[in-house]
Amino acid sequence: MEIASPVPVLVRGASVSLGPFAPWGPALTDGMRAAERQFYADPAAGVQMGYWEGTPGESRASRDGYTEIFHVISGEATLHTDGAESIRLEAGDTVSTPSGWSGRWEIHRPLRKMFVVVYDRG
């Protein structure tokens, strides 16, 4: 992982290796697997960036204390927000899930995303 510095960080996201896939902890579907690799972190600014990829299946998610902005590189999914309408995601979509969000991911085709996490300031 690259720690904040005054030098730009370049990552070729479509082909970067995320390492081995492992069972995804919050999965609701048996056998769902995911891999993640963080490439940048600035603890003083409360920001981190990385890539995540998951296999088809469903999982719960929430954003407690942070906002996640992500860009879908490949795959398809539906993002189900608790108490609101679902949105269908595909390659090229950019989404923000704000602090306090909760819902469920339903991945239809293996999904790869680039994410930026911004932690709430207390």
Side-chain angles (χ1 to χ4, degrees):
M1 168 182 52
E2 182 76 24
I3 299 298
S5 73
V7 177
V9 175
L10 173 64
V11 180
R12 305 273 182 207
S15 60
V16 68
S17 173
L18 303 184
F21 279 75
W24 184 239
L28 301 172
T29 303
D30 286 340
M32 186 176 181
R33 301 175 68 74
E36 180 175 325
R37 187 165 173 198
Q38 188 175 328
F39 287 95
Y40 175 83
D42 185 342
V47 175
Q48 60 184 230
M49 187 268 296
Y51 287 80
W52 181 92
E53 187 171 338
T55 61
E58 295 186 40
S59 66
R60 290 287 307 163
S62 62
R63 304 291 175 259
D64 300 320
Y66 66 94
T67 294
E68 179 184 359
I69 300 114
F70 62 89
H71 181 79
V72 178
I73 296 169
S74 62
E76 293 179 4
T78 301
L79 194 58
H80 302 277
T81 297
D82 293 342
E85 290 193 34
S86 300
I87 55 174
R88 182 80 173 201
L89 304 174
E90 59 186 34
D93 291 343
T94 302
V95 180
S96 173
T97 50
S99 182
W101 176 87
S102 64
R104 181 172 50 87
W105 280 91
E106 182 181 0
I107 298 177
H108 309 292
R109 290 188 325 145
L111 186 91
R112 178 175 279 227
K113 67 179 182 174
M114 185 283 299
F115 65 87
V116 176
V117 169
V118 181
Y119 290 93
D120 295 350
R121 298 278 175 150

mmCIF file of all heavy atoms in Angstrom, residues 66-89:
data_model
loop_
_atom_site.group_PDB
_atom_site.id
_atom_site.type_symbol
_atom_site.label_atom_id
_atom_site.label_comp_id
_atom_site.label_asym_id
_atom_site.label_seq_id
_atom_site.Cartn_x
_atom_site.Cartn_y
_atom_site.Cartn_z
ATOM 1 N N TYR A 66 -18.172 6.313 7.400
ATOM 2 C CA TYR A 66 -17.439 6.684 6.185
ATOM 3 C C TYR A 66 -18.372 6.679 4.974
ATOM 4 O O TYR A 66 -19.416 6.046 4.976
ATOM 5 C CB TYR A 66 -16.248 5.757 5.936
ATOM 6 C CG TYR A 66 -16.617 4.321 5.617
ATOM 7 C CD1 TYR A 66 -16.734 3.897 4.295
ATOM 8 C CD2 TYR A 66 -16.831 3.386 6.622
ATOM 9 C CE1 TYR A 66 -17.056 2.586 3.986
ATOM 10 C CE2 TYR A 66 -17.156 2.083 6.326
ATOM 11 C CZ TYR A 66 -17.265 1.683 5.012
ATOM 12 O OH TYR A 66 -17.587 0.387 4.714
ATOM 13 N N THR A 67 -17.953 7.400 3.951
ATOM 14 C CA THR A 67 -18.616 7.407 2.652
ATOM 15 C C THR A 67 -17.712 6.674 1.680
ATOM 16 O O THR A 67 -16.490 6.826 1.737
ATOM 17 C CB THR A 67 -18.841 8.861 2.170
ATOM 18 O OG1 THR A 67 -19.781 9.490 3.051
ATOM 19 C CG2 THR A 67 -19.353 8.916 0.736
ATOM 20 N N GLU A 68 -18.307 5.870 0.811
ATOM 21 C CA GLU A 68 -17.533 5.208 -0.233
ATOM 22 C C GLU A 68 -18.009 5.702 -1.591
ATOM 23 O O GLU A 68 -19.202 5.702 -1.873
ATOM 24 C CB GLU A 68 -17.687 3.689 -0.182
ATOM 25 C CG GLU A 68 -16.899 2.998 -1.287
ATOM 26 C CD GLU A 68 -17.100 1.492 -1.351
ATOM 27 O OE1 GLU A 68 -17.849 0.937 -0.533
ATOM 28 O OE2 GLU A 68 -16.507 0.877 -2.262
ATOM 29 N N ILE A 69 -17.068 6.135 -2.406
ATOM 30 C CA ILE A 69 -17.330 6.483 -3.792
ATOM 31 C C ILE A 69 -16.628 5.408 -4.611
ATOM 32 O O ILE A 69 -15.447 5.128 -4.376
ATOM 33 C CB ILE A 69 -16.780 7.878 -4.157
ATOM 34 C CG1 ILE A 69 -17.434 8.943 -3.277
ATOM 35 C CG2 ILE A 69 -17.017 8.192 -5.622
ATOM 36 C CD1 ILE A 69 -16.492 9.607 -2.357
ATOM 37 N N PHE A 70 -17.346 4.794 -5.546
ATOM 38 C CA PHE A 70 -16.710 3.740 -6.327
ATOM 39 C C PHE A 70 -17.097 3.832 -7.790
ATOM 40 O O PHE A 70 -18.140 4.375 -8.146
ATOM 41 C CB PHE A 70 -17.015 2.346 -5.766
ATOM 42 C CG PHE A 70 -18.469 1.952 -5.774
ATOM 43 C CD1 PHE A 70 -19.022 1.312 -6.876
ATOM 44 C CD2 PHE A 70 -19.273 2.204 -4.680
ATOM 45 C CE1 PHE A 70 -20.352 0.940 -6.885
ATOM 46 C CE2 PHE A 70 -20.606 1.831 -4.663
ATOM 47 C CZ PHE A 70 -21.154 1.197 -5.773
ATOM 48 N N HIS A 71 -16.208 3.298 -8.615
ATOM 49 C CA HIS A 71 -16.419 3.244 -10.063
ATOM 50 C C HIS A 71 -16.366 1.775 -10.484
ATOM 51 O O HIS A 71 -15.402 1.073 -10.159
ATOM 52 C CB HIS A 71 -15.333 4.038 -10.792
ATOM 53 C CG HIS A 71 -15.502 4.037 -12.264
ATOM 54 N ND1 HIS A 71 -16.405 4.848 -12.910
ATOM 55 C CD2 HIS A 71 -14.897 3.300 -13.220
ATOM 56 C CE1 HIS A 71 -16.349 4.619 -14.211
ATOM 57 N NE2 HIS A 71 -15.435 3.690 -14.423
ATOM 58 N N VAL A 72 -17.409 1.323 -11.168
ATOM 59 C CA VAL A 72 -17.475 -0.064 -11.624
ATOM 60 C C VAL A 72 -16.622 -0.206 -12.885
ATOM 61 O O VAL A 72 -16.882 0.434 -13.900
ATOM 62 C CB VAL A 72 -18.932 -0.497 -11.898
ATOM 63 C CG1 VAL A 72 -18.979 -1.930 -12.415
ATOM 64 C CG2 VAL A 72 -19.786 -0.344 -10.640
ATOM 65 N N ILE A 73 -15.604 -1.050 -12.800
ATOM 66 C CA ILE A 73 -14.709 -1.294 -13.927
ATOM 67 C C ILE A 73 -15.272 -2.382 -14.835
ATOM 68 O O ILE A 73 -15.236 -2.266 -16.056
ATOM 69 C CB ILE A 73 -13.300 -1.669 -13.425
ATOM 70 C CG1 ILE A 73 -12.706 -0.480 -12.666
ATOM 71 C CG2 ILE A 73 -12.402 -2.100 -14.576
ATOM 72 C CD1 ILE A 73 -11.453 -0.802 -11.912
ATOM 73 N N SER A 74 -15.796 -3.435 -14.220
ATOM 74 C CA SER A 74 -16.384 -4.525 -14.999
ATOM 75 C C SER A 74 -17.416 -5.254 -14.158
ATOM 76 O O SER A 74 -17.415 -5.175 -12.935
ATOM 77 C CB SER A 74 -15.291 -5.503 -15.466
ATOM 78 O OG SER A 74 -14.645 -6.086 -14.351
ATOM 79 N N GLY A 75 -18.301 -5.970 -14.840
ATOM 80 C CA GLY A 75 -19.310 -6.765 -14.163
ATOM 81 C C GLY A 75 -20.655 -6.079 -14.072
ATOM 82 O O GLY A 75 -20.861 -4.981 -14.597
ATOM 83 N N GLU A 76 -21.579 -6.756 -13.394
ATOM 84 C CA GLU A 76 -22.928 -6.243 -13.198
ATOM 85 C C GLU A 76 -23.414 -6.605 -11.805
ATOM 86 O O GLU A 76 -23.113 -7.691 -11.300
ATOM 87 C CB GLU A 76 -23.896 -6.846 -14.211
ATOM 88 C CG GLU A 76 -23.648 -6.434 -15.627
ATOM 89 C CD GLU A 76 -24.627 -7.084 -16.599
ATOM 90 O OE1 GLU A 76 -25.551 -7.798 -16.160
ATOM 91 O OE2 GLU A 76 -24.453 -6.870 -17.806
ATOM 92 N N ALA A 77 -24.172 -5.696 -11.206
ATOM 93 C CA ALA A 77 -24.719 -5.929 -9.875
ATOM 94 C C ALA A 77 -25.967 -5.076 -9.682
ATOM 95 O O ALA A 77 -26.231 -4.154 -10.454
ATOM 96 C CB ALA A 77 -23.688 -5.576 -8.803
ATOM 97 N N THR A 78 -26.710 -5.399 -8.649
ATOM 98 C CA THR A 78 -27.803 -4.552 -8.197
ATOM 99 C C THR A 78 -27.493 -4.148 -6.773
ATOM 100 O O THR A 78 -27.116 -4.994 -5.956
ATOM 101 C CB THR A 78 -29.164 -5.288 -8.271
ATOM 102 O OG1 THR A 78 -29.394 -5.692 -9.626
ATOM 103 C CG2 THR A 78 -30.294 -4.395 -7.808
ATOM 104 N N LEU A 79 -27.613 -2.863 -6.497
ATOM 105 C CA LEU A 79 -27.388 -2.328 -5.160
ATOM 106 C C LEU A 79 -28.756 -2.048 -4.546
ATOM 107 O O LEU A 79 -29.505 -1.197 -5.036
ATOM 108 C CB LEU A 79 -26.550 -1.056 -5.249
ATOM 109 C CG LEU A 79 -25.925 -0.533 -3.970
ATOM 110 C CD1 LEU A 79 -25.013 -1.564 -3.322
ATOM 111 C CD2 LEU A 79 -25.149 0.743 -4.266
ATOM 112 N N HIS A 80 -29.088 -2.809 -3.504
ATOM 113 C CA HIS A 80 -30.382 -2.681 -2.837
ATOM 114 C C HIS A 80 -30.184 -1.842 -1.576
ATOM 115 O O HIS A 80 -29.472 -2.272 -0.661
ATOM 116 C CB HIS A 80 -30.921 -4.057 -2.450
ATOM 117 C CG HIS A 80 -31.089 -4.997 -3.603
ATOM 118 N ND1 HIS A 80 -32.194 -4.984 -4.416
ATOM 119 C CD2 HIS A 80 -30.279 -5.975 -4.073
ATOM 120 C CE1 HIS A 80 -32.078 -5.926 -5.337
ATOM 121 N NE2 HIS A 80 -30.910 -6.548 -5.153
ATOM 122 N N THR A 81 -30.783 -0.668 -1.539
ATOM 123 C CA THR A 81 -30.703 0.199 -0.368
ATOM 124 C C THR A 81 -31.876 -0.110 0.546
ATOM 125 O O THR A 81 -33.021 -0.173 0.086
ATOM 126 C CB THR A 81 -30.731 1.680 -0.788
ATOM 127 O OG1 THR A 81 -29.579 1.937 -1.587
ATOM 128 C CG2 THR A 81 -30.734 2.602 0.415
ATOM 129 N N ASP A 82 -31.622 -0.311 1.838
ATOM 130 C CA ASP A 82 -32.697 -0.568 2.788
ATOM 131 C C ASP A 82 -33.704 0.581 2.741
ATOM 132 O O ASP A 82 -33.329 1.753 2.889
ATOM 133 C CB ASP A 82 -32.150 -0.721 4.212
ATOM 134 C CG ASP A 82 -31.285 -1.967 4.377
ATOM 135 O OD1 ASP A 82 -31.367 -2.876 3.529
ATOM 136 O OD2 ASP A 82 -30.522 -2.014 5.368
ATOM 137 N N GLY A 83 -34.962 0.257 2.473
ATOM 138 C CA GLY A 83 -36.018 1.251 2.486
ATOM 139 C C GLY A 83 -36.078 2.167 1.275
ATOM 140 O O GLY A 83 -36.779 3.185 1.308
ATOM 141 N N ALA A 84 -35.364 1.855 0.205
ATOM 142 C CA ALA A 84 -35.368 2.707 -0.987
ATOM 143 C C ALA A 84 -35.302 1.817 -2.233
ATOM 144 O O ALA A 84 -35.152 0.602 -2.137
ATOM 145 C CB ALA A 84 -34.195 3.684 -0.964
ATOM 146 N N GLU A 85 -35.380 2.444 -3.399
ATOM 147 C CA GLU A 85 -35.317 1.696 -4.650
ATOM 148 C C GLU A 85 -33.915 1.147 -4.903
ATOM 149 O O GLU A 85 -32.924 1.749 -4.499
ATOM 150 C CB GLU A 85 -35.729 2.592 -5.813
ATOM 151 C CG GLU A 85 -37.206 2.928 -5.811
ATOM 152 C CD GLU A 85 -37.659 3.546 -7.108
ATOM 153 O OE1 GLU A 85 -37.126 3.169 -8.177
ATOM 154 O OE2 GLU A 85 -38.555 4.396 -7.045
ATOM 155 N N SER A 86 -33.869 0.034 -5.600
ATOM 156 C CA SER A 86 -32.604 -0.586 -5.979
ATOM 157 C C SER A 86 -32.080 0.070 -7.249
ATOM 158 O O SER A 86 -32.849 0.625 -8.031
ATOM 159 C CB SER A 86 -32.810 -2.084 -6.226
ATOM 160 O OG SER A 86 -33.287 -2.698 -5.051
ATOM 161 N N ILE A 87 -30.766 -0.012 -7.438
ATOM 162 C CA ILE A 87 -30.173 0.500 -8.677
ATOM 163 C C ILE A 87 -29.318 -0.594 -9.306
ATOM 164 O O ILE A 87 -28.613 -1.328 -8.623
ATOM 165 C CB ILE A 87 -29.352 1.789 -8.455
ATOM 166 C CG1 ILE A 87 -28.268 1.607 -7.389
ATOM 167 C CG2 ILE A 87 -30.247 2.954 -8.099
ATOM 168 C CD1 ILE A 87 -27.347 2.804 -7.247
ATOM 169 N N ARG A 88 -29.418 -0.686 -10.615
ATOM 170 C CA ARG A 88 -28.639 -1.663 -11.380
ATOM 171 C C ARG A 88 -27.306 -1.014 -11.749
ATOM 172 O O ARG A 88 -27.277 0.135 -12.195
ATOM 173 C CB ARG A 88 -29.422 -2.052 -12.637
ATOM 174 C CG ARG A 88 -28.776 -3.075 -13.507
ATOM 175 C CD ARG A 88 -28.979 -4.454 -12.958
ATOM 176 N NE ARG A 88 -28.470 -5.435 -13.913
ATOM 177 C CZ ARG A 88 -28.819 -6.674 -13.934
ATOM 178 N NH1 ARG A 88 -29.677 -7.116 -13.067
ATOM 179 N NH2 ARG A 88 -28.308 -7.499 -14.816
ATOM 180 N N LEU A 89 -26.211 -1.732 -11.558
ATOM 181 C CA LEU A 89 -24.872 -1.212 -11.837
ATOM 182 C C LEU A 89 -24.215 -2.012 -12.944
ATOM 183 O O LEU A 89 -24.362 -3.234 -13.009
ATOM 184 C CB LEU A 89 -23.998 -1.301 -10.579
ATOM 185 C CG LEU A 89 -24.521 -0.627 -9.324
ATOM 186 C CD1 LEU A 89 -23.601 -0.935 -8.150
ATOM 187 C CD2 LEU A 89 -24.661 0.854 -9.540
#
